[in-house]
Amino acid sequence: KNGKPISVIPCNIYETDEGIILHSHMRATYGGFVVTNLVNIEESVEMVQNLVEEARKLNVDRIIIRNPFRIFNDNVCDETDYAMWYHGFQIKSREIEIVINLAGKIEELKNSYDNGSRYNTKKAIKFITTKVSEDFESYWDLLQQTLMERYGKKPVHSYKDILELIRHCGKENIKLIAGYLNGKMICGIVIFLFKCKVIHAQYICQDYAYQELRPINAVIDYIIDWGNKNNYQYFNLGMANENEGKTINYGLFHFKEGFGGRGVLRETMVLDL
């Protein structure tokens, strides 16, 4: 617009048994259209049309757009969501994550804990020392061991990956909040800090040998305090659903909701060409 870019959309393109897929963007927090405040309804409709036309030129059979959660938006900007529907996109899947609103007085935030979370947090604080740590190596050892033992999976990022990510994004934007028992790290949460005033929990793990102490409660409580003091708007604790949102882990949702969290929706849109 006036010679300046007002929108981008990051995409992967790949081939499956169903044909060539244009996918925005696999595993990216900022999927979908990224727009400035200069984009209006008419331009949004035109942009989606342009994307469809470009996809046809690439012989794409299906377009999948995984929209970001609205808490990551700097402003209200649902024009491209409407434009996708206008051009025939349908909802492919819905995911929900639990978000804690950090605005207001800290006493009111703590009062929003349910009885179980309040009790377990007080219990954890008696035993667990919580602080910002730069010992990502110890945390990654704990994370890898826990994920493999319980789920047979590896972290999305290796230890080398996370160090590279910190180097590129800055250690002020990626932090480890760790919980210690008698000087030993037994739990922690890696958080990503966004300029739109959102704290995003990327990794949450604990040594389950100490589960009875509820150490993660102490870390979440610490982050809520820290986020409130530093004027963050939201703390995103992540999802507890799989299989494109159709498999629900009610226990995990209940744990996250226990800190006053509420659901925020993310929709993935699809268009078959």
Side-chain angles (χ1 to χ4, degrees), residues 84-257:
M84 283 187 285
W85 172 83
Y86 179 84
H87 284 292
F89 280 78
Q90 297 181 342
I91 295 175
K92 182 178 184 292
S93 63
R94 280 178 159 171
E95 301 162 285
I96 195 164
E97 296 201 350
I98 298 301
V99 171
I100 298 170
N101 191 330
L102 297 174
K105 296 180 179 180
I106 191 63
E107 295 82 7
E108 294 175 355
L109 298 184
K110 298 299 180 72
N111 286 336
S112 69
Y113 292 10
D114 67 20
N115 290 335
S117 298
R118 188 178 298 114
Y119 173 82
N120 287 327
T121 299
K122 288 181 179 179
K123 176 182 178 181
I125 291 173
K126 291 179 181 179
F127 300 97
I128 307 302
T129 301
T130 309
K131 63 182 181 180
V132 178
S133 173
E134 294 188 0
D135 188 5
F136 281 87
E137 185 172 8
S138 294
Y139 179 80
W140 236 255
D141 288 341
L142 176 61
L143 177 65
Q144 291 178 133
Q145 178 182 339
T146 301
L147 287 178
M148 186 57 63
E149 287 178 354
R150 294 183 68 86
Y151 307 107
K153 296 181 179 180
K154 295 180 180 180
V156 175
H157 303 89
S158 67
Y159 174 59
K160 182 180 178 181
D161 291 336
I162 199 69
L163 292 183
E164 189 71 3
L165 200 60
I166 292 170
R167 186 177 72 84
H168 282 289
C169 299
K171 63 181 182 180
E172 70 277 9
N173 296 316
I174 300 176
K175 295 184 181 294
L176 167 60
I177 314 299
Y180 293 83
L181 178 65
N182 299 324
K184 177 185 177 182
M185 184 188 297
I186 63 168
C187 68
I189 300 179
V190 174
I191 56 175
F192 291 176
L193 304 175
F194 292 90
K195 292 181 180 179
C196 51
K197 291 300 180 183
V198 175
I199 301 172
H200 173 70
Q202 179 66 23
Y203 290 107
I204 302 175
C205 90
Q206 66 176 355
D207 185 335
Y208 281 88
Y210 303 96
Q211 166 68 8
E212 73 279 1
L213 298 178
R214 302 296 190 267
I216 283 293
N217 286 60
V219 176
I220 292 174
D221 185 71
Y222 180 98
I223 295 172
I224 290 172
D225 272 318
W226 185 88
N228 176 263
K229 290 175 183 177
N230 287 278
N231 299 314
Y232 279 86
Q233 180 67 39
Y234 297 111
F235 175 26
N236 179 24
L237 271 173
M239 66 177 65
N241 44 209
E242 298 177 317
N243 188 27
E244 297 188 326
K246 294 180 180 178
T247 302
I248 304 172
N249 185 334
Y250 286 107
L252 187 53
F253 268 130
H254 177 70
F255 171 75
K256 295 178 178 182
E257 290 168 337

